Amino acid sequence: MPERERHERAELDALLDQELVGHLAVVADGQPLVIPMAYARVGDELLLHGSTGGGFALRAAAERATVAFAVTSLDGLVYARSLFDSSMNYRSAVVYGVLEEVPAAEEHDALVALSAHLMPGRPAEVRDTTKKEYAATRALRLPIAEFVMKARAAGVGEAPDDGEDHAAWAGVVPLGRAWGEPEPSPLTPAGTPLPESVRRLTGV
Amino acid sequence: MPERERHERAELDALLDQELVGHLAVVADGQPLVIPMAYARVGDELLLHGSTGGGFALRAAAERATVAFAVTSLDGLVYARSLFDSSMNYRSAVVYGVLEEVPAAEEHDALVALSAHLMPGRPAEVRDTTKKEYAATRALRLPIAEFVMKARAAGVGEAPDDGEDHAAWAGVVPLGRAWGEPEPSPLTPAGTPLPESVRRLTGV
C-alpha cells in the first residue's frame, strides 16, 4: 500500500522519540532472531543497550552484519462496517544498518542518553554512573541511514455509495499509554514526595 | 539472566492474548527483515494476516523457512537509585516455527478469529465477511511449538546495605493501555450509540 509509505525524517524521529522499545532482528547461522531492546535516538543514531541483546547484538556488531531494528506504535483501532474494512492506525519504522559498539570514551554519555530517553529528567535526580558501572555495560549504536516507514492515520474507509448499511456506529478508537500509580520501593521512607521526573511522566 | 526465563504455556498465552501486534522476523537473501503484524492466538497456533506481511511472510511460508515472531509488553519503568540499577518491567516471547497458509476452507473462520481477538465482540455486530472478501485475504498460521519467554515483574533491586542513599523516592511506574474517546465516522448518524464492543473496550 504505497499511500502508507512515509519518507520524512521528522515523522521517523517523532515515532522513534515517542517509543521506548524496539525489536532488533539479526540473522544467526542462517536463522532469524528477534529481541526487544530499549533504545534512544540521539541525532542520526539509535543507541541500544548491548547487555540486553543476549550477546547476539554484540556478535552482529563484531561481524559487521546488517541488522533490522523495528519500532512500532499502535495508534488506534478502526471499527468499520465490515471485518474486511476494519483496520488499525499505526506508525512503524524499520532502520537497517550495521551495529557498532560505542567506544569506551563515549559509553558514559551514551548510557546517560539512553536513560534520559527512557526516563526523562531522571539522570539529574540520581548519583552519577560510576566508572565500574559503565565498564560493566555495553552500548551499541545504529546509524539512521536506511529506513522504511509506514503509517495509517485515517478514519474508516467508507463512502455513501459503498453499499454498506451506515445506520450503525463506525469509527476509530484511539490508543495511547496509561502510566499507573507510582509504587514506592519498600526502602523509600513513608511520605517521600515523588521526584519531578515521575510527576511529569504520570502527570500527577 | 536465567531468573527472567519463563517456561509456562499459561504465562505465554496470557501475554499473547493481551497483545495485538507482534514482530515477524524472517531471513530474505541472507538479510534480516522484520515487520509488525496483527495476530491472534487460537489454541496452539498464532494466526497472522498474510496481506499485511508485504509478501515476505507468504514467501517464507512457501519456502517453509523458519521464522521468529516476537510479542512484547512493556509493563513498567523501574526508577532505582542509580541509572545502572534502573530497569524495565516487561514480558516478551518469541515463537519460532514454520508459517503455513491457512487452507481456503478454514480462511473465513481464521479471519473472524483474528478480528475477534483485535476487536472483541465486533464480528457479531457487523455483516458476515463475503466469499469474495475472504478470497482476497490471506491468513497464515504459526504453530506454537518452540518459544522463548522472558519477563521482569519486580520492584527496585535494592537492599538496606547496598551503599545507596535511600532517603529519596525509588519505585516502579506501571504502564498500561489507554483507549481514547471513540471518534465516529462522518457517515455515522449523529447520536448513534456506541456498539457494545467499543463500550466494553473503552469502559464507557
Side-chain angles (χ1 to χ4, degrees):
Chain A
M1 299 202 176
E3 76 275 16
R4 295 195 181 171
E5 285 172 19
R6 296 290 185 277
H7 303 281
E8 297 294 329
R9 254 308 286 277
E11 278 197 78
L12 175 71
D13 289 356
L15 171 64
L16 296 174
D17 293 351
Q18 173 197 296
E19 291 301 306
L20 305 176
V21 171
H23 283 80
L24 179 75
V26 304
V27 178
D29 303 321
Q31 302 294 314
L33 289 179
V34 57
I35 193 169
M37 292 179 82
Y39 72 91
R41 181 187 71 88
V42 175
D44 294 329
E45 290 179 345
L46 292 178
L47 296 173
L48 307 176
H49 194 293
S51 325
T52 51
F56 75 67
L58 289 166
R59 190 171 132 194
E63 292 173 353
R64 299 197 54 75
T66 297
V67 303
F69 190 75
V71 175
T72 301
S73 174
L74 179 58
D75 297 328
L77 296 179
V78 182
Y79 284 71
R81 297 174 193 286
S82 66
L83 300 184
F84 187 72
D85 285 324
S86 295
S87 190
M88 291 174 148
N89 280 341
Y90 67 92
R91 287 162 296 145
S92 78
V94 183
V95 176
Y96 295 94
V98 174
L99 284 172
E100 295 167 10
E101 283 204 53
V102 171
E106 296 167 43
E107 199 130 53
H108 175 266
D109 290 354
L111 294 171
V112 172
L114 249 174
S115 294
H117 172 60
L118 302 172
M119 301 177 168
R122 190 60 172 164
E125 295 171 347
V126 294
R127 65 166 176 77
D128 201 12
T129 303
T130 65
K131 258 195 173 157
K132 195 173 159 189
E133 285 173 340
Y134 63 81
T137 321
R138 309 294 276 277
L140 296 165
R141 63 188 177 196
L142 180 62
I144 304 173
E146 196 189 336
F147 70 91
V148 175
M149 183 171 179
K150 293 189 177 175
R152 186 189 193 281
V156 176
E158 61 178 3
D161 61 353
D162 62 10
E164 303 289 353
D165 175 4
H166 299 111
W169 192 93
V172 173
V173 184
L175 176 59
R177 266 186 208 130
W179 295 106
E181 190 69 37
E183 301 160 355
S185 74
L187 292 183
T188 297
T192 304
L194 289 176
E196 172 71 16
S197 62
V198 173
R199 278 192 285 125
R200 255 189 295 156
L201 181 79
T202 58
V204 297
Chain B
M1 297 204 181
E3 76 276 16
R4 296 195 179 170
E5 285 172 19
R6 296 290 186 275
H7 303 280
E8 296 294 327
R9 254 307 287 276
E11 277 197 79
L12 175 71
D13 289 356
L15 171 64
L16 296 174
D17 293 351
Q18 171 197 298
E19 290 301 306
L20 305 175
V21 171
H23 284 81
L24 178 75
V26 304
V27 178
D29 303 322
Q31 301 294 314
L33 289 179
V34 57
I35 192 169
M37 293 180 82
Y39 72 90
R41 181 188 71 89
V42 175
D44 294 329
E45 290 178 346
L46 291 178
L47 296 172
L48 307 176
H49 195 294
S51 325
T52 51
F56 76 66
L58 290 166
R59 192 172 131 194
E63 292 174 353
R64 299 197 55 75
T66 297
V67 303
F69 191 75
V71 175
T72 300
S73 175
L74 179 57
D75 297 329
L77 296 179
V78 183
Y79 284 71
R81 297 175 193 284
S82 66
L83 301 183
F84 187 74
D85 285 325
S86 296
S87 190
M88 292 175 146
N89 279 341
Y90 68 92
R91 287 162 295 145
S92 79
V94 183
V95 176
Y96 294 95
V98 174
L99 285 172
E100 295 168 9
E101 284 205 53
V102 172
E106 297 166 43
E107 200 131 55
H108 175 267
D109 290 354
L111 294 171
V112 171
L114 249 174
S115 294
H117 173 60
L118 301 172
M119 301 176 168
R122 189 61 173 162
E125 295 171 347
V126 294
R127 65 166 176 77
D128 201 11
T129 303
T130 66
K131 257 195 171 155
K132 196 172 157 186
E133 285 173 340
Y134 63 80
T137 321
R138 308 293 277 278
L140 296 165
R141 62 187 177 196
L142 180 62
I144 304 173
E146 196 188 335
F147 70 91
V148 175
M149 183 171 179
K150 292 190 178 176
R152 185 189 194 281
V156 176
E158 61 178 4
D161 60 353
D162 62 10
E164 302 290 351
D165 175 4
H166 300 112
W169 192 92
V172 174
V173 184
L175 176 59
R177 268 187 206 129
W179 294 106
E181 190 70 36
E183 302 161 355
S185 74
L187 293 182
T188 297
T192 303
L194 288 177
E196 172 70 16
S197 63
V198 172
R199 277 192 286 125
R200 255 189 294 157
L201 181 78
T202 59
V204 298

